[in-house]
């Protein structure tokens, strides 16, 4: 198990807000179960599997690398 830091969760929440993503949209883009994401975002869940940790970290890196636009991320990753 891995532990998400408060800074990581804040970054996920901030980027989700900037991109106007629902929890379902975020789940599709990250490959993380929407219920797991709900738990993480509501501060109830910080210990996650290695795969979840990697998926969220990769998503953050990819979205920042793609720029501020939701469309840019979708184009780069082929997500619709």
């Amino acid at each position: 198990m891995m532990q998400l830091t408060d800074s990581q969760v804040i970054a996920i929440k901030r980027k989700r807000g900037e991109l106007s993503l629902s929890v379902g949209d975020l789940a599709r883009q990250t490959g993380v179960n929407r219920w797991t994401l709900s738990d993480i975002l509501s501060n109830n869940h910080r210990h996650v599997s290695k795969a979840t940790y990697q998926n969220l970290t990769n998503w953050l890196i990819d979205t920042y690398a793609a720029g501020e636009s939701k469309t840019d991320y979708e184009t780069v990753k082929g997500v619709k």
Side-chain angles (χ1 to χ4, degrees):
M1 295 295 269
M2 307 285 289
Q3 182 166 345
L4 293 169
T5 65
D6 288 340
S7 296
Q8 288 170 306
V9 174
I10 289 168
I12 293 165
K13 288 178 177 181
R14 181 177 294 134
K15 188 50 85 170
R16 176 183 168 229
E18 289 173 2
L19 298 175
S20 301
L21 297 175
S22 68
V23 174
D25 292 337
L26 183 59
R28 281 187 286 283
Q29 288 191 11
T30 61
V32 175
N33 181 285
R34 62 182 289 193
W35 301 113
T36 300
L37 285 171
S38 289
D39 286 345
I40 291 167
L41 297 173
S42 66
N43 296 323
N44 295 329
H45 191 75
R46 290 293 188 267
H47 293 286
V48 297
S49 70
K50 185 176 180 180
T52 295
Y53 185 90
Q54 289 177 331
N55 286 350
L56 292 172
T57 302
N58 289 342
W59 177 80
L60 279 173
I61 292 167
D62 290 345
T63 56
Y64 278 103
E68 296 298 320
S69 168
K70 178 179 175 183
T71 304
D72 288 344
Y73 178 79
E74 290 176 348
T75 301
V76 168
K77 299 304 275 187
V79 175
K80 292 189 181 199

